[in-house]
Amino acid sequence: QVRLVESGGGLVQDGGSLRLSCAASGGTVSTYTMSWFRQAPGKGREFVSGITRNGDTTYYTDSVKGRFTISGDNAKNTVYLQMNSLKPEDTAVYYCAGRRGPYIATINDYTYWGQGTQVTVSS
């Protein structure tokens, strides 16, 4: 059973940066497609960024392109989301998720989920 634990969230000012971490146990992240989702208050959970197995390809939702970077560290079995130039609209709970398939797919295709980490961007 794969277990995912997020960390790195917090309160930051508009324009600031945070790096989220997703540490995995019970499985090797490089063999899974890993993604970050977020859920703002009163809204549904949305895709933010994903990285396919072995880090072959990365994807970003349009609103974070050029500001966020997803990466993986095989030695630490951890996936990161570097978030720069943060905006108040980035405020949400951020979730790490993993799936065995080779594609980013849809939210319902993800089997493994972390507990989430809160990111709050103040204006």
Side-chain angles (χ1 to χ4, degrees):
Q1 181 74 8
V2 176
R3 181 169 180 254
L4 304 174
V5 179
E6 302 100 330
S7 61
L11 174 64
V12 64
Q13 290 188 331
D14 190 353
S17 297
L18 285 173
R19 188 178 77 159
L20 305 184
S21 299
C22 173
S25 59
T28 303
V29 293
S30 62
T31 64
Y32 292 82
T33 292
M34 301 295 296
S35 290
W36 289 93
F37 293 81
R38 66 186 179 187
Q39 187 165 16
K43 296 187 177 180
R45 197 170 297 189
E46 65 170 356
F47 172 82
V48 176
S49 179
I51 186 167
T52 56
R53 296 184 299 196
N54 297 315
D56 289 345
T57 310
T58 58
Y59 297 86
Y60 301 91
T61 192
D62 286 345
S63 63
V64 308
K65 284 180 181 177
R67 300 188 297 123
F68 291 11
T69 303
I70 190 170
S71 63
D73 185 332
N74 292 340
K76 295 183 178 180
N77 210 26
T78 298
V79 175
Y80 301 99
L81 185 67
Q82 177 66 46
M83 306 186 296
N84 299 327
S85 301
L86 282 161
K87 305 175 181 180
E89 51 263 44
D90 294 317
T91 295
V93 177
Y94 284 70
Y95 297 90
C96 174
R99 63 183 300 270
R100 293 184 181 274
Y103 306 109
I104 295 298
T106 66
I107 187 171
N108 293 327
D109 294 311
Y110 284 80
T111 305
Y112 308 107
W113 289 86
Q115 82 289 349
T117 185
Q118 176 71 48
V119 171
T120 303
V121 184
S122 62
S123 56

